[in-house]
Amino acid sequence: MVLEVTNTNNVKVYTVSGSSLTRKLPDWLVKRKRRELQKDIEWTRRIELIQDFGFPEASLRLKVTPDGQFCMATGVYKPQIRVFDFANVAMKFDRHTDAENVNFCVLSDDWTKSVHLQNDRSIEFHNEGQMHFRTRIP
């Protein structure tokens, strides 16, 4: 296996997966080099993938927050909620629930407030730290 190597300022950067188009810009790269890359057509058309964007079994619902910065998804077995951050291209957190999620609605502009309808006829209100309130529908 041959890894692609980039040598900048006597520091070797190895590309482990993907091509040079999927490589993320290192934080330590000088500002001048960043400006040059912003004008590069190949660099501006690159695709960045979110790490851990998946569920062990399946995802039933997926919604983007109104501010467009986060994606909230719910999955089955074990029932869980996951929030993905587009700015950092990574998963922000995951939270397990007692029952499978039928539908949900994001109440705030970001992911911090949401309401979830569960398949056991309960409604859960979540805030940024935990489940805030749970009630059962008759």
Side-chain angles (χ1 to χ4, degrees), residues 26-55:
D27 293 334
W28 50 264
L29 199 59
V30 293
K31 291 181 181 180
R32 184 187 57 169
K33 183 70 173 174
R34 286 185 190 203
R35 278 182 268 159
E36 290 174 7
L37 285 175
Q38 288 175 350
K39 297 175 185 175
D40 186 9
I41 294 173
E42 288 184 3
W43 177 257
T44 57
R45 291 185 181 172
R46 73 189 189 284
I47 297 173
E48 294 183 12
L49 301 176
I50 296 177
Q51 299 297 317
D52 300 323
F53 194 69
F55 281 86

CSV table of all heavy atoms in Angstrom, one decimal, residues 26-55:
chain,number,residue,atom,x,y,z
A,26,PRO,N,-5.0,21.4,6.8
A,26,PRO,CA,-4.5,21.4,8.1
A,26,PRO,C,-4.6,22.8,8.8
A,26,PRO,O,-4.5,23.8,8.1
A,26,PRO,CB,-3.1,21.0,8.0
A,26,PRO,CG,-2.9,20.4,6.6
A,26,PRO,CD,-4.0,21.0,5.8
A,27,ASP,N,-4.8,22.8,10.1
A,27,ASP,CA,-5.0,24.0,10.8
A,27,ASP,C,-3.7,24.9,10.8
A,27,ASP,O,-3.8,26.1,10.9
A,27,ASP,CB,-5.4,23.8,12.3
A,27,ASP,CG,-6.8,23.2,12.4
A,27,ASP,OD1,-7.6,23.4,11.4
A,27,ASP,OD2,-7.1,22.5,13.3
A,28,TRP,N,-2.6,24.2,10.8
A,28,TRP,CA,-1.3,24.9,10.9
A,28,TRP,C,-0.8,25.5,9.5
A,28,TRP,O,0.2,26.2,9.5
A,28,TRP,CB,-0.2,24.0,11.4
A,28,TRP,CG,-0.2,22.7,10.7
A,28,TRP,CD1,-0.8,21.5,11.1
A,28,TRP,CD2,0.6,22.4,9.5
A,28,TRP,NE1,-0.5,20.5,10.2
A,28,TRP,CE2,0.3,21.0,9.2
A,28,TRP,CE3,1.3,23.1,8.7
A,28,TRP,CZ2,0.9,20.4,8.1
A,28,TRP,CZ3,1.9,22.5,7.5
A,28,TRP,CH2,1.6,21.2,7.3
A,29,LEU,N,-1.6,25.3,8.5
A,29,LEU,CA,-1.2,25.8,7.2
A,29,LEU,C,-1.3,27.3,7.1
A,29,LEU,O,-2.2,27.9,7.7
A,29,LEU,CB,-2.1,25.2,6.1
A,29,LEU,CG,-1.6,25.3,4.7
A,29,LEU,CD1,-0.3,24.5,4.5
A,29,LEU,CD2,-2.6,24.6,3.7
A,30,VAL,N,-0.3,27.9,6.6
A,30,VAL,CA,-0.2,29.4,6.6
A,30,VAL,C,-1.4,30.0,5.8
A,30,VAL,O,-2.0,29.4,4.9
A,30,VAL,CB,1.1,29.9,6.0
A,30,VAL,CG1,2.3,29.5,6.9
A,30,VAL,CG2,1.3,29.4,4.6
A,31,LYS,N,-1.8,31.3,6.2
A,31,LYS,CA,-2.9,31.9,5.6
A,31,LYS,C,-2.8,32.2,4.1
A,31,LYS,O,-3.7,32.0,3.3
A,31,LYS,CB,-3.2,33.3,6.3
A,31,LYS,CG,-3.6,33.1,7.7
A,31,LYS,CD,-3.9,34.5,8.3
A,31,LYS,CE,-4.3,34.3,9.7
A,31,LYS,NZ,-4.6,35.6,10.4
A,32,ARG,N,-1.5,32.4,3.6
A,32,ARG,CA,-1.3,32.7,2.2
A,32,ARG,C,-1.6,31.4,1.4
A,32,ARG,O,-2.3,31.5,0.4
A,32,ARG,CB,0.2,33.1,2.0
A,32,ARG,CG,0.5,33.4,0.5
A,32,ARG,CD,1.9,33.7,0.4
A,32,ARG,NE,2.6,32.4,0.8
A,32,ARG,CZ,3.8,32.1,0.6
A,32,ARG,NH1,4.6,33.0,0.1
A,32,ARG,NH2,4.4,31.0,1.0
A,33,LYS,N,-1.2,30.3,1.9
A,33,LYS,CA,-1.5,29.0,1.2
A,33,LYS,C,-3.0,28.7,1.2
A,33,LYS,O,-3.6,28.2,0.2
A,33,LYS,CB,-0.8,27.9,1.9
A,33,LYS,CG,-0.9,26.5,1.2
A,33,LYS,CD,-0.2,26.5,-0.1
A,33,LYS,CE,-0.2,25.1,-0.6
A,33,LYS,NZ,0.3,25.0,-2.0
A,34,ARG,N,-3.7,29.1,2.3
A,34,ARG,CA,-5.2,28.9,2.3
A,34,ARG,C,-5.8,29.8,1.2
A,34,ARG,O,-6.8,29.3,0.5
A,34,ARG,CB,-5.7,29.3,3.7
A,34,ARG,CG,-5.4,28.3,4.7
A,34,ARG,CD,-6.1,28.6,6.0
A,34,ARG,NE,-5.6,27.8,7.1
A,34,ARG,CZ,-6.3,27.5,8.1
A,34,ARG,NH1,-7.5,28.1,8.3
A,34,ARG,NH2,-5.8,26.7,9.1
A,35,ARG,N,-5.4,31.0,1.1
A,35,ARG,CA,-6.0,31.9,0.1
A,35,ARG,C,-5.7,31.3,-1.4
A,35,ARG,O,-6.6,31.4,-2.2
A,35,ARG,CB,-5.4,33.3,0.2
A,35,ARG,CG,-6.1,34.1,1.3
A,35,ARG,CD,-5.6,35.5,1.3
A,35,ARG,NE,-4.5,35.4,2.3
A,35,ARG,CZ,-3.5,36.2,2.5
A,35,ARG,NH1,-3.4,37.2,1.7
A,35,ARG,NH2,-2.6,36.0,3.4
A,36,GLU,N,-4.6,30.8,-1.6
A,36,GLU,CA,-4.3,30.2,-2.9
A,36,GLU,C,-5.2,29.0,-3.2
A,36,GLU,O,-5.6,28.8,-4.3
A,36,GLU,CB,-2.8,29.7,-2.9
A,36,GLU,CG,-1.8,30.9,-3.0
A,36,GLU,CD,-0.4,30.4,-2.8
A,36,GLU,OE1,-0.1,29.1,-2.9
A,36,GLU,OE2,0.5,31.2,-2.7
A,37,LEU,N,-5.4,28.2,-2.1
A,37,LEU,CA,-6.3,27.0,-2.3
A,37,LEU,C,-7.7,27.4,-2.6
A,37,LEU,O,-8.5,26.7,-3.2
A,37,LEU,CB,-6.1,26.1,-1.2
A,37,LEU,CG,-4.9,25.3,-1.1
A,37,LEU,CD1,-4.8,24.4,0.2
A,37,LEU,CD2,-4.7,24.3,-2.3
A,38,GLN,N,-8.2,28.5,-2.0
A,38,GLN,CA,-9.5,28.9,-2.2
A,38,GLN,C,-9.8,29.3,-3.7
A,38,GLN,O,-10.9,29.3,-4.1
A,38,GLN,CB,-9.9,30.1,-1.3
A,38,GLN,CG,-10.0,29.7,0.1
A,38,GLN,CD,-10.2,30.9,1.0
A,38,GLN,OE1,-10.1,32.0,0.6
A,38,GLN,NE2,-10.5,30.6,2.3
A,39,LYS,N,-8.7,29.7,-4.4
A,39,LYS,CA,-8.9,30.0,-5.9
A,39,LYS,C,-8.7,28.7,-6.7
A,39,LYS,O,-9.0,28.8,-7.9
A,39,LYS,CB,-7.8,31.0,-6.2
A,39,LYS,CG,-8.0,32.3,-5.5
A,39,LYS,CD,-6.9,33.3,-5.9
A,39,LYS,CE,-7.0,34.6,-5.1
A,39,LYS,NZ,-5.9,35.4,-5.2
A,40,ASP,N,-8.3,27.6,-6.2
A,40,ASP,CA,-8.1,26.4,-6.9
A,40,ASP,C,-9.4,25.7,-7.2
A,40,ASP,O,-10.2,25.5,-6.2
A,40,ASP,CB,-7.2,25.5,-6.1
A,40,ASP,CG,-6.8,24.2,-6.9
A,40,ASP,OD1,-7.1,24.2,-8.1
A,40,ASP,OD2,-6.2,23.3,-6.3
A,41,ILE,N,-9.7,25.4,-8.4
A,41,ILE,CA,-11.0,24.8,-8.8
A,41,ILE,C,-11.2,23.5,-8.2
A,41,ILE,O,-12.3,23.1,-7.7
A,41,ILE,CB,-11.2,24.8,-10.3
A,41,ILE,CG1,-11.2,26.2,-10.9
A,41,ILE,CG2,-12.4,24.0,-10.8
A,41,ILE,CD1,-11.2,26.3,-12.4
A,42,GLU,N,-10.2,22.6,-8.3
A,42,GLU,CA,-10.3,21.3,-7.7
A,42,GLU,C,-10.5,21.3,-6.2
A,42,GLU,O,-11.3,20.5,-5.7
A,42,GLU,CB,-9.0,20.5,-8.0
A,42,GLU,CG,-8.8,20.1,-9.4
A,42,GLU,CD,-7.6,19.2,-9.6
A,42,GLU,OE1,-6.9,18.9,-8.6
A,42,GLU,OE2,-7.4,18.8,-10.7
A,43,TRP,N,-9.9,22.3,-5.5
A,43,TRP,CA,-10.1,22.4,-4.1
A,43,TRP,C,-11.5,22.9,-3.7
A,43,TRP,O,-12.1,22.4,-2.8
A,43,TRP,CB,-9.1,23.3,-3.5
A,43,TRP,CG,-9.2,23.5,-2.0
A,43,TRP,CD1,-9.8,24.6,-1.4
A,43,TRP,CD2,-8.9,22.6,-1.0
A,43,TRP,NE1,-9.8,24.4,0.0
A,43,TRP,CE2,-9.3,23.2,0.3
A,43,TRP,CE3,-8.3,21.3,-1.0
A,43,TRP,CZ2,-9.1,22.5,1.5
A,43,TRP,CZ3,-8.2,20.7,0.3
A,43,TRP,CH2,-8.5,21.3,1.4
A,44,THR,N,-12.0,23.8,-4.5
A,44,THR,CA,-13.4,24.3,-4.2
A,44,THR,C,-14.5,23.3,-4.5
A,44,THR,O,-15.6,23.4,-4.0
A,44,THR,CB,-13.6,25.6,-5.0
A,44,THR,OG1,-13.5,25.4,-6.4
A,44,THR,CG2,-12.7,26.7,-4.5
A,45,ARG,N,-14.2,22.4,-5.4
A,45,ARG,CA,-15.2,21.4,-5.8
A,45,ARG,C,-15.1,20.1,-5.0
A,45,ARG,O,-15.7,19.1,-5.3
A,45,ARG,CB,-15.1,21.1,-7.3
A,45,ARG,CG,-15.5,22.2,-8.1
A,45,ARG,CD,-15.5,21.8,-9.5
A,45,ARG,NE,-15.9,23.0,-10.4
A,45,ARG,CZ,-15.8,23.0,-11.7
A,45,ARG,NH1,-15.4,21.9,-12.3
A,45,ARG,NH2,-16.2,24.1,-12.3
A,46,ARG,N,-14.3,20.1,-4.0
A,46,ARG,CA,-14.0,18.8,-3.2
A,46,ARG,C,-15.3,18.4,-2.4
A,46,ARG,O,-16.2,19.3,-2.2
A,46,ARG,CB,-12.9,19.0,-2.2
A,46,ARG,CG,-13.2,19.9,-1.1
A,46,ARG,CD,-12.0,20.2,-0.2
A,46,ARG,NE,-12.3,20.9,1.0
A,46,ARG,CZ,-12.7,22.1,1.1
A,46,ARG,NH1,-12.7,22.9,0.0
A,46,ARG,NH2,-12.9,22.7,2.3
A,47,ILE,N,-15.4,17.2,-2.0
A,47,ILE,CA,-16.5,16.7,-1.2
A,47,ILE,C,-15.9,16.3,0.1
A,47,ILE,O,-15.0,15.5,0.2
A,47,ILE,CB,-17.1,15.5,-1.9
A,47,ILE,CG1,-17.7,15.9,-3.3
A,47,ILE,CG2,-18.2,14.8,-1.0
A,47,ILE,CD1,-18.2,14.7,-4.1
A,48,GLU,N,-16.6,16.8,1.2
A,48,GLU,CA,-16.2,16.4,2.6
A,48,GLU,C,-17.3,15.5,3.1
A,48,GLU,O,-18.4,15.8,3.1
A,48,GLU,CB,-16.0,17.6,3.4
A,48,GLU,CG,-14.9,18.5,3.0
A,48,GLU,CD,-14.7,19.7,3.9
A,48,GLU,OE1,-15.3,19.7,5.0
A,48,GLU,OE2,-13.9,20.6,3.5
A,49,LEU,N,-16.8,14.4,3.7
A,49,LEU,CA,-17.8,13.4,4.2
A,49,LEU,C,-17.8,13.5,5.8
A,49,LEU,O,-16.8,13.7,6.4
A,49,LEU,CB,-17.3,12.0,3.9
A,49,LEU,CG,-17.2,11.7,2.4
A,49,LEU,CD1,-16.7,10.3,2.1
A,49,LEU,CD2,-18.6,11.8,1.7
A,50,ILE,N,-19.0,13.3,6.3
A,50,ILE,CA,-19.2,13.4,7.8
A,50,ILE,C,-18.8,12.0,8.3
A,50,ILE,O,-19.2,11.0,7.9
A,50,ILE,CB,-20.6,13.7,8.1
A,50,ILE,CG1,-21.0,15.1,7.6
A,50,ILE,CG2,-20.8,13.6,9.6
A,50,ILE,CD1,-22.4,15.5,7.9
A,51,GLN,N,-17.9,12.1,9.3
A,51,GLN,CA,-17.4,10.8,10.0
A,51,GLN,C,-18.6,10.3,10.8
A,51,GLN,O,-19.3,11.0,11.5
A,51,GLN,CB,-16.2,11.1,10.9
A,51,GLN,CG,-15.0,11.6,10.1
A,51,GLN,CD,-14.5,10.6,9.1
A,51,GLN,OE1,-14.4,9.4,9.4
A,51,GLN,NE2,-14.2,11.1,7.9
A,52,ASP,N,-18.7,8.9,10.9
A,52,ASP,CA,-19.7,8.2,11.6
A,52,ASP,C,-21.1,8.6,11.2
A,52,ASP,O,-22.0,8.6,12.1
A,52,ASP,CB,-19.5,8.4,13.1
A,52,ASP,CG,-18.2,8.0,13.6
A,52,ASP,OD1,-17.7,6.9,13.1
A,52,ASP,OD2,-17.6,8.6,14.5
A,53,PHE,N,-21.4,9.0,10.0
A,53,PHE,CA,-22.7,9.3,9.5
A,53,PHE,C,-23.5,8.1,9.2
A,53,PHE,O,-23.6,7.6,8.0
A,53,PHE,CB,-22.6,10.3,8.3
A,53,PHE,CG,-23.9,10.9,8.0
A,53,PHE,CD1,-24.4,11.9,8.8
A,53,PHE,CD2,-24.6,10.6,6.9
A,53,PHE,CE1,-25.6,12.6,8.5
A,53,PHE,CE2,-25.8,11.3,6.6
A,53,PHE,CZ,-26.3,12.2,7.4
A,54,GLY,N,-24.0,7.4,10.2
A,54,GLY,CA,-24.7,6.2,10.0
A,54,GLY,C,-25.2,5.6,11.3
A,54,GLY,O,-25.0,6.2,12.4
A,55,PHE,N,-26.0,4.5,11.3
A,55,PHE,CA,-26.6,3.9,12.4
A,55,PHE,C,-26.2,2.4,12.4
A,55,PHE,O,-26.1,1.9,11.3
A,55,PHE,CB,-28.1,4.1,12.4
A,55,PHE,CG,-28.5,5.5,12.9
A,55,PHE,CD1,-28.6,6.5,12.1
A,55,PHE,CD2,-28.8,5.7,14.3
A,55,PHE,CE1,-28.9,7.8,12.5
A,55,PHE,CE2,-29.2,6.9,14.7
A,55,PHE,CZ,-29.3,8.0,13.8
